[in-house]
Amino acid sequence: MPLLLLLPVALAMGGHMQSWRRKSLWLALSASWLLILLGVFPLLRLAVPARPRARASQGWPRWLDAELLQSFSQPGELLEDGPQPPQAPRGGSCNWGACFDASKCRDGGFKVFVYPAAGPISETRRRILASIEGSRYHTVSPAEACLLLLLSSDTPAGQCEPVPAQWDEGRNHLVLNLHPAPCPRTVQLGQAMVAKASPTVDTFRAGFDVALPLLPEAHPLRGGAPGQLQQHSPRPGVALLALAGERGRWHTAGTNSSACPWDGHCEQDHGPKQTPPGALLPSATFCLIPGRSPDAWHFLQALQAGCIPVLLSPHWELPFSEVIDWTKAAIVADERLPLQVLAALQEMPLTRVLALRQQTQFLWDAYFSSVEKVIHTTLEIIQDRIFGASARPSLLWNSPPGALLALPTFSTSPVDFPFYHLQQGSRPVGRFSALIWVEAPGQLPLKLIQVVAGSQHCAQILVLWSCEKPPPPRWPKTAVPLTVIGGHRKASDRFFPYSAVSTDAILSLDAHSSLSTSEVDFAFVVWQSFPERMVGFLTWSHFWDETRGGWGYTAEKANEFSMVLTSAAFYHRYYHTLFTHSLPRALRNLADETPTCADVLMNFLVAAVTKVPPIKVPYGSWHQEARPPLAPGSPGLRQEPQPAAQDCINQMAAAFGHMPLVSSHLRLDPVLYKDPVSVLRKKYRSLEKP
């Protein structure tokens, strides 16, 4: 009986204990979830800022991949990459549609008029004016200009130069401030756009103003120093972090700096290493940059050094954020969460680190390494706004060689350029056009026409007649169309973008060139694998002459080369557009004065764009014996450069701001080339003609 009485009591106590255990378990689970939410959500806010919008001011970068963000983001937070209309400005009432008259740009194209300096200007600003006046944008008439540019002069602090007579309340005007301006143009701007260095986020008018980088006074005018990154993956012993300090110094710390506040005084560390005053570039994987505007100029240092910028709660607009996708090169972080930031940086995958560092080097070289590139990028952004829906896509801005070398007057589709086939997973299709330059009437290329027409890849033959006498009325019958084009007796005529060229590939030839059909076929197949390069038969090499203190080049046979002669070479037709519309007029005139320099200039252009050497293919030695002697001064397949032409390479190097040519020791031969096997097994048999 007592057992029967105790049984209900025990059951009641057991049920009470089970209920208490369930409540305790729920409380523990709830507390765990609360701790997770408190620890993770701030990090997510740190790592996942708003996605940048195309054609408008972009938000700050994110780290995590998009597929990981779908679980945490709210609907509509992750925007697509499609073009977005310009957003309403935050710092004023002007926007692109209301304060810019694009109709002035439709007839005459994108032309820029630069106001002459109204007051004293520095030598740097004087060279900036000269750079714009020598570019393809410039016009001397304000009436035919699409954009009127006003460069701020070096006036005393607090003073502003008077507005020009054609001010018109600032409509279609751009005020350019590469350095912090002493004149606060808050009232006088009117409807003018402002291109300003490191503008604050609150005053920047997205889609209307242009954010510039904060340049040092000694920034080079053109060319500029290359990126300093020698190895993309972190090396053992290299500091993980570098913190921007005062007077151009950087504080570096290793991976042991787990408790390092942003003022650079690291606790539990034996003192971070400090870069000497002369070594301005940091040597670390990540560069922590405070969000204050005076620290914005450290941003360019980090880019040049290949140090991934980590922006700590920045209050300034990233340069060219309208077109540059900074999520591929920089990171934004909350300075209030140092431990989470350090942990996230230490755990970042090496593949992500590699991609970010590679992008910093591309952006530095494409848009920031010189004052000239900064100015031209500003003008190209405004030109893309005028084009609207037909502007260049983000791929052209954020992939090598960059938008400055992808002219919208040629195309805005990546497939039309020679640079993006690898990214698109494609290769050039179709055939080639042979362009034969005839300089003297006694050099009729009758045999050469038959050889080229016999190629299975030839689509057409164009004869560029650059002689005083008219061309003969009859030409040999060929299996492909033959067209005669009249030239102007200038060496640069051969690099003009003729509308008659119907293919991407061009085979550039001289009237005295000597080739076989097999050599032409093999060279074209090689070019299809490397459409961004020049593929040629005969080569030159450049060298530094210590005795003359300058560059020189030679045609002597050696174990390396850096140029191929355009008297027999394949390249993409887009380089004709770049040569005519991108190169300064002074360089084209130099090529006309000394025809041998035309080969050098075309090789300079292609090397500056691709950063790689040309490709050499086999060329039979018997061609030299069969070729007739050249007239004095005429460009030949193996002519040694004349002394008068040697100096043009130095003039070109000065105009480019650096030496772009890259040497190579590589020659591509067919499989089984000169192998001891049956000739019947070889595809290009005539290449080994005895």
Side-chain angles (χ1 to χ4, degrees), residues 243-265:
L243 180 66
E246 298 178 354
R247 300 178 181 177
R249 298 193 178 191
W250 291 85
H251 304 276
T252 59
T255 56
N256 295 329
S257 305
S258 57
C260 181
W262 305 134
D263 58 2
H265 302 290

Side-chain angles (χ1 to χ4, degrees), residues 54-133:
R55 316 252 63 85
S57 176
Q58 298 182 0
W60 296 107
R62 68 190 190 283
W63 305 348
L64 304 181
D65 296 331
E67 58 268 18
L68 300 179
L69 303 183
Q70 303 294 339
S71 304
F72 305 107
S73 59
Q74 298 297 325
E77 286 185 357
L78 299 179
L79 304 177
E80 298 298 330
D81 286 333
Q84 301 291 334
Q87 301 300 306
R90 297 187 293 267
S93 59
C94 260
N95 56 44
W96 180 253
C99 298
F100 192 91
D101 185 8
S103 62
K104 296 182 178 180
C105 313
R106 294 170 185 167
D107 297 332
F110 185 67
K111 294 296 182 181
V112 180
F113 173 78
V114 183
Y115 287 107
I121 60 174
S122 62
E123 181 62 26
T124 300
R125 284 168 168 78
R126 193 183 308 278
R127 291 188 297 167
I128 292 172
L129 289 175
S131 173
I132 300 176
E133 292 172 354

Side-chain angles (χ1 to χ4, degrees), residues 129-146:
L129 289 175
S131 173
I132 300 176
E133 292 172 354
S135 68
R136 65 180 182 273
Y137 314 102
H138 184 253
T139 179
V140 296
S141 173
E144 66 180 19
C146 165

Side-chain angles (χ1 to χ4, degrees), residues 368-389:
F368 301 106
S369 61
S370 68
V371 175
E372 188 174 72
K373 290 179 181 179
V374 171
I375 296 174
H376 289 186
T377 303
T378 303
L379 299 179
E380 289 292 332
I381 289 175
I382 297 176
Q383 184 179 13
D384 268 15
R385 294 177 186 173
I386 297 171
F387 287 156

Side-chain angles (χ1 to χ4, degrees), residues 225-515:
Q228 300 298 309
L229 185 61
Q230 301 296 331
Q231 182 175 338
H232 293 95
S233 58
R235 299 192 304 270
V238 174
L240 175 70
L241 304 174
L243 180 66
E246 298 178 354
R247 300 178 181 177
R249 298 193 178 191
W250 291 85
H251 304 276
T252 59
T255 56
N256 295 329
S257 305
S258 57
C260 181
W262 305 134
D263 58 2
H265 302 290
C266 296
E267 300 175 0
Q268 300 178 2
D269 193 8
H270 299 290
K273 296 181 180 180
Q274 200 175 70
T275 58
L280 297 180
L281 297 182
S283 178
T285 304
F286 299 98
C287 284
L288 305 179
I289 303 174
R292 302 181 301 274
S293 293
D295 293 307
W297 75 280
H298 288 95
F299 185 73
L300 284 189
Q301 289 184 332
L303 285 182
Q304 183 182 4
C307 184
I308 302 171
V310 180
L311 306 167
L312 305 175
S313 302
H315 303 289
W316 43 275
E317 191 75 17
L318 275 175
F320 305 138
S321 56
E322 183 175 342
V323 294
I324 294 180
D325 185 2
W326 286 109
T327 64
K328 298 180 179 179
I331 298 170
V332 67
D334 193 337
E335 62 182 354
R336 299 169 299 179
L337 303 172
L339 297 181
Q340 291 92 329
V341 173
L342 292 175
L345 295 179
Q346 290 175 344
E347 298 175 2
M348 182 175 292
L350 292 181
T351 54
R352 179 63 174 162
V353 173
L354 171 63
L356 290 170
R357 302 189 85 178
Q358 287 178 329
Q359 192 69 1
T360 62
Q361 299 297 275
F362 156 65
L363 293 177
W364 164 259
D365 181 73
Y367 305 116
F368 301 106
S369 61
S370 68
V371 175
E372 188 174 72
K373 290 179 181 179
V374 171
I375 296 174
H376 289 186
T377 303
T378 303
L379 299 179
E380 289 292 332
I381 289 175
I382 297 176
Q383 184 179 13
D384 268 15
R385 294 177 186 173
I386 297 171
F387 287 156
S390 59
R392 283 164 289 196
S394 178
L395 175 64
L396 270 60
W397 281 99
N398 295 281
S399 300
L404 295 185
L405 296 171
L407 302 183
T409 53
F410 177 79
S411 177
T412 57
S413 175
V415 297
D416 294 332
F417 294 92
F419 318 116
Y420 308 105
H421 288 286
L422 182 61
Q423 298 182 30
Q424 302 288 330
S426 63
R427 61 180 297 176
V429 295
R431 298 183 289 175
F432 68 86
S433 299
L435 182 62
I436 305 176
W437 184 42
V438 180
E439 187 184 16
Q443 298 178 350
L444 291 180
L446 303 181
K447 182 179 178 180
L448 180 63
I449 290 176
Q450 296 294 345
V451 169
V452 175
S455 171
Q456 59 180 327
H457 305 293
C458 183
Q460 61 177 162
I461 298 177
L462 305 174
V463 178
L464 180 58
W465 191 264
S466 296
C467 309
E468 292 183 0
K469 296 182 179 180
R474 294 184 180 180
W475 292 84
K477 294 183 179 180
T478 59
V480 296
L482 188 149
T483 306
V484 179
I485 303 174
H488 299 88
R489 302 187 61 196
K490 297 188 300 183
S492 60
D493 284 348
R494 64 191 307 175
F495 305 128
F496 184 82
Y498 296 102
S499 59
V501 178
S502 60
T503 61
D504 287 339
I506 292 179
L507 173 58
S508 176
L509 297 167
D510 285 347
H512 49 69
S513 300
S514 178
L515 293 172

Side-chain angles (χ1 to χ4, degrees), residues 500-687:
V501 178
S502 60
T503 61
D504 287 339
I506 292 179
L507 173 58
S508 176
L509 297 167
D510 285 347
H512 49 69
S513 300
S514 178
L515 293 172
S516 66
T517 303
S518 294
E519 288 171 335
V520 173
D521 287 341
F522 176 70
F524 177 72
V525 172
V526 171
W527 176 87
Q528 285 184 309
S529 299
F530 305 94
E532 75 282 3
R533 300 202 200 185
M534 296 179 67
V535 177
F537 300 89
L538 296 170
T539 60
W540 286 345
S541 60
H542 75 288
F543 60 91
W544 178 258
D545 191 345
E546 292 287 351
T547 59
R548 297 173 59 242
W551 295 101
Y553 61 103
T554 179
E556 293 182 357
K557 293 183 178 180
N559 290 323
E560 68 175 15
F561 66 93
S562 56
M563 295 179 279
V564 295
L565 274 66
T566 58
S567 54
F570 279 98
Y571 51 80
H572 198 279
R573 68 185 179 98
Y574 174 61
Y575 291 122
H576 280 193
T577 301
L578 272 182
F579 188 96
T580 304
H581 300 295
S582 178
L583 288 178
R585 187 175 305 166
L587 289 181
R588 300 198 305 271
N589 293 338
L590 179 63
D592 292 333
E593 295 171 1
T594 310
T596 309
C597 294
D599 287 291
V600 181
L601 184 56
M602 176 56 86
N603 280 271
F604 261 62
L605 174 64
V606 178
V609 173
T610 61
K611 309 295 187 300
V612 292
I615 295 177
K616 176 179 172 55
V617 291
Y619 182 70
S621 59
W622 60 87
H623 292 303
Q624 294 287 12
E625 302 173 359
R627 182 172 56 82
L630 296 174
S634 61
L637 283 182
R638 183 61 72 171
Q639 182 187 10
E640 183 71 22
Q642 300 297 322
Q646 284 283 0
D647 191 53
C648 69
I649 190 172
N650 291 291
Q651 298 182 47
M652 294 176 188
F656 276 78
H658 67 291
M659 170 52 71
L661 296 178
V662 182
S663 297
S664 174
H665 301 266
L666 175 69
R667 187 184 75 182
L668 296 185
D669 297 337
V671 178
L672 301 181
Y673 180 68
K674 292 189 176 181
D675 281 1
V677 297
S678 172
V679 178
L680 299 178
R681 297 176 57 186
K682 300 183 179 182
K683 185 175 182 179
Y684 304 98
R685 304 169 188 172
S686 63
L687 293 183

